[in-house]
Amino acid sequence: MGELSELELSKIIETSNNNITVTDENGIILRSHPEHWKIYGMEPGSYVGKSVYELEEEGLLAPSINAIVLKEKKFSRILQHTKTGRVVMSTGYPIFNQDGQLVRVISYSQDQTEIWKLQEEYEQLQRKLQGYQTEVEDLREKELDHSIVARSSEMQQVLKTIYHVAKTDATILLLGSSGVGKSTFARALHKKSDRHREPFIEVNCSTIPESLFESEIFGYEPGAFTGAHAKGKPGLIEQADGGTLFLDEVGELPLSMQAKLLKVIQEKKMMRVGGKKEKYIDFRLLTATNQPLETMVEEGKFRLDLFYRLNVVPIHIPSLHERKEDIPVLLQHYIQKSNEKYSQNKKLHSSTYEALIQYNWPGNIRELENLIERLVLVVEEPAIYPKHLPAAISGQTTQAEISRPLLIVQEMSEKKSLKETLEALEIQLIAKAYKECKTTYEMADYLGISQPSVMYKLKKYQQYL
């Protein structure tokens, strides 16, 4: 078979999936894929006859792979950064004649911009996870139970269940609205378990991009994919070996990963991306979600078999508005915590307590903690008054509802009689108990007096209620 004709060569280059460019020994472009120059932000056209050195000087090629091969007379590969912000991988091959003289250079260019962006995202995620694991190490040294403050019967039951199952390896599913503190309870479970000296690895399933999820969870072997670390990397499951793996926002777990996670839970074995050998991993699994998993199962968004595996011991963490009894102690806890953190000595005025207790707290404990921390930082006065609160809180209850008992105290105190002042204070306490309690027996328990005494005082002060 004879040599390829010019027409055949040109057609091969034009129809190739690669961006091919051929230059002679002087760097003059002999042939080029017509779409080659688009990735450099240049108009598609014929650059045949132009010198790569000239294009390099103009900044259109930075640098030219053909020029590098001509100079070094050997195979070369470089990354080019175009004026339009794209990243191009260029590879050049020298062609020598029978006398050993370099007569041609063939180069291939591939747009790597998207892969490069994924690599940057991956590195950012790595930094974030590294920072988070450092935080986990700090938390591991603390007494995590101090972070749980509760006196309500609902929360006492939750704590009782947690302490009961903490010593076992049972899979726990923490349920509740966003901000109720599911992560804190997961750490408490780990702290009270026999695995407390081993790693506690937390994974927020909603923050890891689906494209990186598998490599982050299962890890990868060297060369498993473009951008992979040369030594490979253990996944988060592997890092939890001997300890606890906490999957937060498990309802966000991609369907493609659910089957693989189920296999790991069942067999306690896993394989890295690009690996060929399974590895046994000993870990205790905790999960959490604010989504209705049963509804997601019905809608085909969550695997039924995985749901059964996770729902071994479900623990519902009630929202803050369901346990208002805890709000005062939480307020005191976070005031003290923020004062210590920022070397302050701020206090909540009694009327501020009242407004905060009446608030519905849609963001739960996370909202309460953030608000108190912000108030301690920004309020310059030693006491925090209702005027310092956001309008959504201070304006939620009419002034008459909040201040009527206080106005009674103020009006009666002006009479300067100790007996009448104490009576006004009693009215305030009775009015508050009357508003918060459902029965006279609850009022008696709330006030620390007998039920007949409550009945007597209600009748006595009925005009003020």
Side-chain angles (χ1 to χ4, degrees):
M1 184 175 179
E3 294 183 359
L4 291 174
S5 67
E6 289 292 322
L7 180 62
E8 288 172 326
L9 273 174
S10 297
K11 206 62 181 176
I12 289 173
I13 292 175
E14 288 176 11
T15 57
S16 171
N17 291 327
N18 293 309
N19 294 310
I20 303 174
T21 297
V22 181
T23 59
D24 65 13
E25 69 276 14
N26 297 313
I28 302 299
I29 298 172
L30 302 178
R31 294 181 178 84
S32 181
H33 191 289
E35 299 296 310
H36 171 81
W37 306 99
K38 275 188 176 181
I39 61 175
Y40 294 96
M42 293 183 271
E43 290 294 327
S46 177
Y47 285 83
V48 174
K50 292 194 175 182
S51 167
V52 292
Y53 298 110
E54 179 184 346
L55 297 176
E56 197 173 41
E57 287 179 4
E58 294 175 4
L60 299 177
L61 299 177
S64 165
I65 184 64
N66 295 67
I68 292 174
V69 174
L70 286 169
K71 179 181 179 181
E72 299 182 359
K73 294 181 172 54
K74 64 180 181 178
F75 160 83
S76 294
R77 176 177 291 155
I78 61 169
L79 275 179
Q80 297 169 311
H81 296 270
T82 71
K83 285 184 174 181
T84 56
R86 306 196 72 78
V87 180
V88 180
M89 175 73 75
S90 290
T91 308
Y93 298 86
I95 298 177
F96 300 92
N97 62 17
Q98 295 178 347
D99 298 326
Q101 295 178 325
L102 194 156
V103 293
R104 297 286 187 273
V105 173
I106 299 179
S107 64
Y108 304 87
S109 297
Q110 294 178 325
D111 191 345
Q112 300 284 304
T113 306
E114 294 305 317
I115 295 176
W116 195 259
K117 286 181 179 178
L118 282 174
Q119 175 71 14
E120 288 183 341
E121 291 175 4
Y122 174 80
E123 291 176 355
Q124 289 175 4
L125 181 62
Q126 288 296 96
R127 289 192 291 270
K128 182 179 179 182
L129 288 172
Q130 184 62 44
Y132 189 77
Q133 288 172 16
T134 301
E135 181 183 352
V136 168
E137 292 295 326
D138 293 340
L139 287 171
R140 198 187 303 161
E141 297 175 1
K142 297 178 181 178
E143 182 58 46
L144 296 175
D145 291 320
H146 292 170
S147 300
I148 301 176
V149 180
R151 68 180 182 187
S152 66
S153 58
E154 295 88 350
M155 287 305 299
Q156 290 302 319
Q157 184 58 47
V158 169
L159 292 175
K160 182 179 178 182
T161 303
I162 284 177
Y163 293 146
H164 180 69
V165 300
K167 293 293 184 181
T168 73
D169 265 355
T171 299
I172 309 296
L173 175 60
L174 297 168
L175 303 166
S177 304
S178 178
V180 294
K182 296 186 287 294
S183 295
T184 300
F185 285 98
R187 294 188 189 103
L189 275 162
H190 174 72
K191 186 70 176 180
K192 287 293 181 180
S193 75
D194 294 334
R195 298 173 178 266
H196 65 277
R197 297 184 183 278
E198 301 301 327
F200 175 81
I201 302 299
E202 180 172 352
V203 183
N204 190 319
C205 298
S206 66
T207 61
I208 303 179
E210 187 170 350
S211 59
L212 299 176
F213 203 94
E214 185 173 10
S215 62
E216 286 302 314
I217 294 294
F218 297 99
Y220 56 84
E221 295 293 346
F225 54 86
T226 303
H229 194 279
K231 296 182 180 179
K233 180 181 179 297
L236 293 169
I237 294 177
E238 209 170 327
Q239 293 177 42
D241 193 15
T244 302
L245 176 68
F246 174 47
L247 299 180
D248 198 7
E249 304 294 350
V250 72
E252 301 290 339
L253 194 67
L255 271 172
S256 59
M257 289 294 103
Q258 290 181 22
K260 294 185 178 183
L261 178 63
L262 178 64
K263 185 176 184 295
V264 174
I265 296 172
Q266 290 174 329
E267 302 177 5
K268 290 297 178 72
K269 293 179 181 179
M270 55 143 286
M271 184 186 300
R272 292 186 183 184
V273 176
K276 297 180 180 179
K277 186 178 180 181
E278 287 187 323
K279 181 178 181 181
Y280 175 78
I281 306 294
D282 173 34
F283 65 93
R284 198 264 183 92
L285 180 64
L286 306 177
T287 60
T289 184
N290 59 10
Q291 299 192 39
L293 292 186
E294 292 186 50
T295 302
M296 292 179 67
V297 168
E298 293 173 1
E299 296 173 348
K301 297 178 181 177
F302 203 86
R303 292 179 62 104
L304 179 62
D305 47 5
L306 179 58
F307 171 71
Y308 284 137
R309 282 287 178 177
L310 301 184
N311 198 43
V312 177
V313 182
I315 300 177
H316 175 74
I317 314 297
S319 299
L320 203 49
H321 69 83
E322 298 176 282
R323 49 186 178 103
K324 283 187 174 290
E325 189 180 349
D326 290 331
I327 295 177
V329 291
L330 285 167
L331 291 171
Q332 186 61 38
H333 170 72
Y334 286 114
I335 274 286
Q336 180 180 349
K337 181 180 176 181
S338 297
N339 277 332
E340 291 174 356
K341 183 177 180 179
Y342 299 109
S343 301
Q344 297 291 323
N345 191 29
K346 302 293 174 60
K347 297 184 182 300
L348 290 175
H349 190 267
S350 58
S351 57
T352 308
Y353 262 111
E354 184 70 25
L356 292 174
I357 290 170
Q358 295 301 322
Y359 183 51
N360 200 43
W361 296 107
N364 291 296
I365 292 179
R366 184 185 296 128
E367 181 185 7
L368 186 150
E369 181 179 9
N370 291 344
L371 173 66
I372 295 301
E373 184 172 5
R374 183 167 71 250
L375 291 172
V376 168
L377 277 172
V378 303
V379 174
E380 297 180 357
E381 301 171 41
I384 299 170
Y385 292 91
K387 67 179 181 180
H388 298 126
L389 300 176
I393 299 178
S394 60
Q396 65 173 337
T397 310
T398 64
Q399 188 62 30
E401 288 178 324
I402 294 178
S403 61
R404 187 168 184 267
L406 298 177
L407 289 173
I408 295 170
V409 174
Q410 184 178 2
E411 290 170 2
M412 298 190 73
S413 296
E414 290 174 356
K415 298 177 181 179
K416 307 296 183 181
S417 166
L418 176 61
K419 180 182 177 181
E420 290 173 335
T421 300
L422 292 175
E423 186 177 49
L425 180 58
E426 187 175 57
I427 292 171
Q428 180 185 2
L429 295 174
I430 294 294
K432 184 177 180 182
Y434 181 75
K435 183 177 181 180
E436 294 190 5
C437 301
K438 296 179 181 179
T439 67
T440 54
Y441 290 97
E442 286 185 14
M443 287 183 64
D445 184 64
Y446 183 88
L447 295 168
I449 59 178
S450 66
Q451 191 266 347
S453 295
V454 171
M455 295 293 293
Y456 168 78
K457 293 181 185 298
L458 285 175
K459 185 175 180 180
K460 180 181 179 181
Y461 301 129
Q462 60 182 340
Q463 61 178 314
Y464 300 117
L465 303 176

